[in-house]
Amino acid sequence: QKGFTYKRQYIIDLSSKYPGASIVVQLYKEFARVQFNGDQSVFGNTVGLLGDYKTGELLARDGSTVINDFTDFGDEWQVLPSEPKIFHEVAHPQFPELCIKPE
């Protein structure tokens, strides 16, 4: 966007497996923008907070229940203790305590 600069930008280059594909994360103040550059061959089997690639439906962990409330959907996909950790430090809140909701 002309005249708009992002404070931070991270590009995840997926071209070693999917030529030309990437994920761009842009952060500005408290806002985040995530752009997925690739087609169905790259992102067609994604699950979780992205929803279903083909239909756009927000599916629960079971892969079939449709959730129509964004807050309930976010709670459904909160990281569970049984799942691998992706961060070096454990931060509050942790399941079974629900995530902090926006005001």
Side-chain angles (χ1 to χ4, degrees), residues 55-76:
T55 66
E57 291 180 317
L58 305 178
L59 299 177
R61 287 176 178 266
D62 66 10
S64 59
T65 303
V66 177
I67 300 175
N68 294 310
D69 181 87
F70 291 121
T71 300
D72 292 342
F73 183 66
D75 289 342
E76 170 72 9

Side-chain angles (χ1 to χ4, degrees), residues 25-39:
V25 180
Q26 297 168 321
L27 306 172
Y28 180 74
K29 297 183 181 180
E30 71 273 12
F31 300 102
R33 177 177 186 242
V34 181
Q35 180 178 338
F36 296 87
N37 301 311
D39 59 16

Side-chain angles (χ1 to χ4, degrees), residues 10-11 18 32 38-39 49 54-55 57 65 72 74 87 91 94 100:
Y10 304 93
I11 299 173
Y18 302 104
D39 59 16
L49 291 175
K54 296 172 189 82
T55 66
E57 291 180 317
T65 303
D72 292 342
F87 300 107
Q94 293 293 310
I100 299 167

Side-chain angles (χ1 to χ4, degrees), residues 1-48:
Q1 297 170 351
K2 189 174 182 177
F4 187 82
T5 59
Y6 289 94
K7 290 284 186 181
R8 288 174 288 186
Q9 176 172 288
Y10 304 93
I11 299 173
I12 303 165
D13 184 2
L14 305 174
S15 62
S16 64
K17 185 167 183 177
Y18 302 104
S22 66
I23 301 171
V24 179
V25 180
Q26 297 168 321
L27 306 172
Y28 180 74
K29 297 183 181 180
E30 71 273 12
F31 300 102
R33 177 177 186 242
V34 181
Q35 180 178 338
F36 296 87
N37 301 311
D39 59 16
Q40 185 170 341
S41 68
V42 181
F43 299 110
N45 293 323
T46 56
V47 296

